Amino acid sequence: MSRLADLQVGESLAPVQLNPVGRLDLIKYAGASGDFNPIHTIDEEAENAGLPGIIAHGMWTMGNLATLFTPYMEEGFIQDYSIRFKGMVFLGDVVTLRAKVAEKQPQQVKFSVGAVNQHGKNVLQGDLVFSL
Amino acid sequence: MLKSSIGKKSNKVKNTIERGAVRKFAEAINDPDPIYLDETAGANSRYKRNIAPPTFPVTFDAGTIPDMNLPAKGLIHGEQIYHYKRPLYVGEDVYCWMEVKDYYEKSGNFGDMGFLVVGKYGEDEDGTLLFTEERIVIINEAARKEMVG
């Protein structure tokens, strides 16, 4: 694993593919985050809200995406992390997390980050500034 | 009615970053890393203690904004933005409050959408800002009508 500081613009971190989203994942996240909106855990509530089924918390995917940077916490920390939620994540979806160096300065590295589903559709997209 | 909420703030609430809560959160986002969970690893790290994952502030109580009752349904989380001065430490107290930063409406494919921008702020006990969070919540037309009625 190279250091973040050694990455050049255009280089990426190794992408991470998550296991298919399971109901228990979302129940655990609901409990850990305190977000008990039932569209994330109860089928009927999701359907009543006009959804085809329960959907993952956007913050679950955003939280997972940040884990790409956890191995580098000895080098610095996440200073800015902004995400647009672009698409829904359903049960069984296989989400892949990505980060690519967009800009580099002496004290910080800016990444374009995103998560795509198994169809290659962006489910979230944003920027992350890692402070060195 | 949401426009009139712009500028309204909640009162500060003290949150203690509990070790067990950090463990549950880190496990829920598939990130059970020693930097968050293991006391020895934390003590030996550059932070000299365990830190909390960057999206952990979603768990913080930041009080309630007066006279703002959002509908339970019809809300879409549009954007989430964090800014940090430093990572948050396991065991520390963070004082949080919220503010309605903006509200505007736009027409789109799904009718008129309302965009509510809420800022959340976390300070240490001396009042020094540790992090900010901005959340943009999109409220559809049906949900807004429910609020009027």
Side-chain angles (χ1 to χ4, degrees):
Chain A
M1 194 179 79
S2 59
R3 294 167 66 239
L4 282 192
D6 297 335
L7 291 175
Q8 301 304 314
V9 173
E11 287 189 291
S12 296
L13 298 180
V16 167
Q17 184 179 296
L18 300 176
N19 290 326
V21 178
R23 189 177 295 267
L24 203 53
D25 292 323
L26 305 185
I27 292 172
K28 271 168 72 178
Y29 187 78
S33 68
D35 180 350
F36 290 101
N37 186 333
I39 62 168
H40 304 303
T41 47
I42 301 172
D43 301 295
E44 294 86 336
E45 291 286 346
E47 285 157 24
N48 288 342
L51 299 168
I54 65 174
I55 58 167
H57 306 74
M59 291 303 296
W60 176 80
T61 315
M62 185 176 181
N64 273 277
L65 179 55
T67 70
L68 293 181
F69 295 88
T70 307
Y72 303 99
M73 287 298 167
E74 284 298 331
E75 264 187 80
F77 66 96
I78 293 173
Q79 178 189 300
D80 293 283
Y81 184 24
S82 63
I83 284 296
R84 270 172 188 258
F85 299 99
K86 310 280 282 185
M88 292 182 273
V89 173
F90 296 98
L91 282 188
D93 279 359
V94 177
V95 173
T96 302
L97 312 168
R98 296 172 174 165
K100 185 179 186 178
V101 180
E103 280 176 40
K104 236 187 126 175
Q105 285 168 21
Q107 296 306 316
Q108 58 185 42
V109 187
K110 185 175 177 183
F111 290 83
S112 299
V113 294
V116 295
N117 67 13
Q118 66 276 21
H119 307 299
K121 187 188 179 317
N122 273 332
V123 292
L124 48 86
Q125 203 171 16
D127 301 300
L128 185 149
V129 175
F130 195 91
S131 172
L132 296 170
Chain B
M1 81 249 76
L2 280 165
K3 201 106 190 148
S4 68
S5 292
I6 295 173
K8 286 190 180 172
K9 295 173 182 170
S10 66
N11 290 322
K12 259 183 228 178
V13 179
K14 176 179 168 178
N15 292 262
T16 302
I17 303 181
E18 290 166 7
R19 185 167 290 283
V22 168
R23 170 175 291 279
K24 275 206 302 191
F25 190 85
E27 286 172 352
I29 56 167
N30 300 302
D31 202 13
D33 194 89
I35 192 83
Y36 304 128
L37 306 182
D38 184 88
E39 282 193 62
T40 309
N44 292 332
S45 75
R46 68 184 277 160
Y47 308 107
K48 309 287 180 230
R49 67 202 100 183
N50 294 115
I51 59 174
T55 56
F56 188 75
V58 294
T59 69
F60 291 158
D61 181 356
T64 43
I65 290 169
D67 311 317
M68 198 180 66
N69 300 303
L70 291 178
K73 287 175 185 171
L75 302 185
I76 300 160
H77 194 177
E79 285 182 52
Q80 181 85 2
I81 299 156
Y82 286 101
H83 177 72
Y84 273 99
K85 301 293 181 196
R86 62 158 168 82
L88 299 178
Y89 304 138
V90 171
E92 78 175 322
D93 294 330
V94 184
Y95 298 80
C96 296
W97 52 281
M98 289 191 295
E99 177 185 19
V100 178
K101 293 180 77 172
D102 202 2
Y103 177 76
Y104 50 91
E105 290 177 2
K106 279 195 224 171
S107 306
N109 296 337
F110 305 102
D112 288 342
M113 307 295 265
F115 293 78
L116 181 69
V117 184
V118 180
K120 188 169 169 179
Y121 306 85
E123 302 171 352
D124 68 13
E125 62 183 337
D126 301 325
T128 305
L129 196 64
L130 299 176
F131 79 90
T132 64
E133 177 195 290
E134 189 174 301
R135 176 180 289 242
I136 302 180
V137 179
I138 305 168
I139 309 168
N140 70 24
E141 214 166 346
R144 285 206 312 282
K145 280 185 182 136
E146 203 174 294
M147 293 176 67
V148 179

